[in-house]
Amino acid sequence: MNKNYRKTVSFLAALSMVSASVVLPSSVLADGSGIVVDGTTASVTTDKAGVAIVASYDENGRLTAAKLQEAAVGTTTVEVKTGDKVMLWDGIGADANKPMTASVEVAAPIATTEPSSSPEVTSSPE
């Protein structure tokens, strides 16, 4: 069973790479299901129970780890890092293996301020 589990997770991760090659900050469907990434956490929101999958990859794009977490109705929070893909599936197994939302790739944070190029002016005591 462990071998089939790994094959299933590998298949899901590979499928998500093919189906969503664009880096998005979030994926939200009209029914309210979706994934929103904020730093090192992803909020997975769904109106029916499923499985949140966090797939990690090495610099060559090979799957290195997959974490599964039950996603209850409402919002579930999962830990992520840059380069991970977060997916929401209806389950894992023969009867349940359909994505409920598009996958979301965790992008590196974007700097919100530019470093100052001029030295700070200070006054000296007289």
Side-chain angles (χ1 to χ4, degrees), residues 56-113:
S56 300
Y57 301 90
D58 66 13
E59 60 278 352
N60 296 321
R62 283 187 233 130
L63 181 67
T64 59
K67 296 180 279 185
L68 304 175
Q69 184 172 332
E70 293 291 326
V73 173
T75 301
T76 302
T77 302
V78 294
E79 296 295 317
V80 296
K81 63 184 183 304
T82 301
D84 285 352
K85 282 200 177 176
V86 185
M87 299 164 263
L88 177 62
W89 287 67
D90 62 353
I92 301 294
D95 296 333
N97 57 0
K98 296 180 197 152
M100 296 169 65
T101 66
S103 65
V104 174
E105 186 173 335
V106 180
I110 299 170
T112 56
T113 60

Side-chain angles (χ1 to χ4, degrees), residues 1 12-13 16 18 22 25-26 29 34 41 44 57 62 66 68 74-75 81 96-97 100 103-104 111 116:
M1 174 154 170
L12 296 176
S16 73
V18 171
V22 178
S26 64
L29 298 179
T41 60
V44 180
Y57 301 90
R62 283 187 233 130
L68 304 175
T75 301
K81 63 184 183 304
N97 57 0
M100 296 169 65
S103 65
V104 174
S116 175

Side-chain angles (χ1 to χ4, degrees), residues 119-124:
E120 185 177 322
V121 178
T122 59
S123 61
S124 59

